[in-house]
Amino acid sequence: QVQLVQSGAEVKKAGASVKVSCRTSGYTFTDYYMHWVRQAPGEGLEWMGWINPNSGGTNYAQKFQGRVTMTRDTSISTAYMELSSLTSDDTAVYYCARDSYRGHSYSWAFDYWGQGTLVTVSS
Amino acid sequence: DIQMTQSPSTLSVSVGDRVTITCRASQSISIWLAWYQQKPGKAPKLLIQKASDLESGAPSRFSGRGSGTEFTLTISSLQPDDFAAYYCQQYNTYPYTFGQGTKLEIK
């Protein structure tokens, strides 16, 4: 069965960086885009971007350009999301989510999600 | 960015009710719309994509309709397990965007 297991909660100081991992199993990691979505406490969902695990290519939301870096390690079927220059506005649960399209020509909805990683930024 | 507007934000309903949630896009997104269910402390769960395609394993009481800018999610007969928040999402244009959510509460 498909599983996405994320790393544990993080507490960071303002100005620091955080790196969240998403370890996958149950499918061919390189066949599907991996997205990152965040949710501030009590708020809605915000898409941050995707990584093509096959090529390493990325597509970031403009809001996060320059601050986010998505990478992957195909040898361990794991995706990473690093966010830098953290502020209190970055306090949120961060999710990895698999694209439901098998391949790299399109991007569809997100069919499997990690359990979420709470990142708390303190000043 | 494409703005997705859901209505209502909160809905007080009872088990057995027929429930309809509306999602409007600020510009046409064809059929590239998904609906997710989210329970407190849990990740969202995909219910419907391409506006009306029910995901494998999602109950048949959920249905989606629409194209262009106006979409609906209908629950034909609300069950206790359905009390949750529901989000629409467009994946026609980057950046992908979500509605603000609709929370179903017990009346």
Side-chain angles (χ1 to χ4, degrees), chain A residues 33 35 37 39 43-47 50 59 61-62 95 99-100 107-111 113-115, chain B residues 32 34 36 38 41-46 48-50 55 87 89 91 94-100:
Chain A
Y33 288 168
H35 299 262
V37 175
Q39 186 171 36
E43 301 294 325
L45 300 161
E46 182 173 32
W47 179 79
W50 58 245
N59 183 354
Q62 187 160 10
Y95 294 101
D99 198 293
S100 58
S107 172
W108 286 356
F110 313 152
D111 58 356
W113 294 63
Q115 82 277 18
Chain B
W32 305 113
Y36 299 88
Q38 187 179 34
K42 299 294 186 183
K45 175 186 174 183
L46 179 63
I48 286 170
Q49 65 172 307
K50 291 186 210 168
E55 279 298 289
Y87 293 91
Q89 178 220 354
Y91 52 101
Y94 296 120
Y96 292 168
T97 46
F98 293 84
Q100 81 279 13

Side-chain angles (χ1 to χ4, degrees), chain A residues 30 50-60 70-72 74 104:
Chain A
T30 51
W50 58 245
I51 182 168
N52 176 345
N54 187 52
S55 66
T58 54
N59 183 354
Y60 302 143
M70 296 178 189
T71 57
R72 89 294 188 216
T74 57
H104 310 114

